[in-house]
Amino acid sequence: MPETILVSACLLGLPTRYDGSAKRNQAVLDWLAREKLIPVPVCPEQLAGLPTPREQTRFSRGDGRAVATGNGEVATFSGQSMNECFLRGAHITLRIARITGCQRALLKERSPSCGVHQIHCNDAMVAGVGVATALLIDAGVSVQSEEDLPVTGG
Ligand code: SF4
């Protein structure tokens, strides 16, 4: 039976980003085909019920793990806390992983929901994970970003 993998919807070419754009990544599509993986597209921020386009967000304190433990904050650029909303989207994302049997995820680097190694906190790019990423990792899902994929020659 083919293996399913959760994938950030924007990487697959769906226009889910805050500004209504996509971030289609051909290397991701090629890798999925090569590995014979069935992608399950998710956008934690849309799953939270946020509109597209929507106001851009970033962390003002900590990262996704800090938000999940009540010690961080993700906020819009105009200063509105989005913790509750992002946690809702992260929980729904985790539920979808379970329903579809995904034990792996490939998520968009540096997003406040999907970041795997880095996130934006205030004006800096720092080490950390997005809110959905934190919940997935804690639930035992193996998470990587598009930047972790092997570079193929040729
Ligand atoms: S929340 Fe994740 S899937 Fe949605 S647009 Fe941002 S990076 Fe892409």
Side-chain angles (χ1 to χ4, degrees):
M1 180 138 157
E3 186 186 348
T4 52
I5 181 170
L6 221 54
V7 183
S8 292
C10 56
L11 288 174
L12 296 172
L14 298 171
T16 55
R17 298 184 76 221
Y18 71 93
D19 59 358
S21 71
K23 204 77 179 170
R24 185 179 186 279
N25 185 312
Q26 191 60 47
V28 166
L29 298 172
D30 291 345
W31 179 78
L32 291 167
R34 234 178 12 252
E35 299 290 318
K36 298 187 172 35
L37 295 167
I38 308 290
V40 176
V42 284
C43 175
E45 293 172 24
Q46 287 191 338
L47 288 168
L50 288 170
T52 305
R54 54 188 171 275
E55 195 180 345
Q56 196 171 4
T57 49
R58 63 184 172 188
F59 291 93
S60 52
R61 192 160 37 92
D63 71 343
R65 179 153 286 115
V67 167
T69 55
N71 297 308
E73 184 182 62
V74 61
T76 63
F77 275 43
S78 60
Q80 185 189 348
S81 175
M82 300 297 282
N83 282 12
E84 194 182 323
C85 185
F86 272 48
L87 282 167
R88 183 169 59 241
H91 279 290
I92 296 172
T93 301
L94 178 55
R95 212 180 308 158
I96 290 173
R98 289 191 167 133
I99 290 168
T100 56
C102 291
Q103 293 173 349
R104 300 163 72 182
L106 181 71
L107 302 180
K108 176 79 189 73
E109 194 60 273
R110 287 179 283 280
S111 147
S113 287
C114 297
V116 177
H117 303 292
Q118 292 180 312
I119 45 96
H120 295 279
C121 186
N122 298 311
D123 292 327
M125 196 194 301
V126 297
V129 295
V131 180
T133 306
L135 264 63
L136 289 167
I137 291 172
D138 287 351
V141 177
S142 171
V143 179
Q144 60 187 142
S145 86
E146 77 280 18
E147 297 180 6
D148 294 321
L149 294 184
V151 178
T152 52

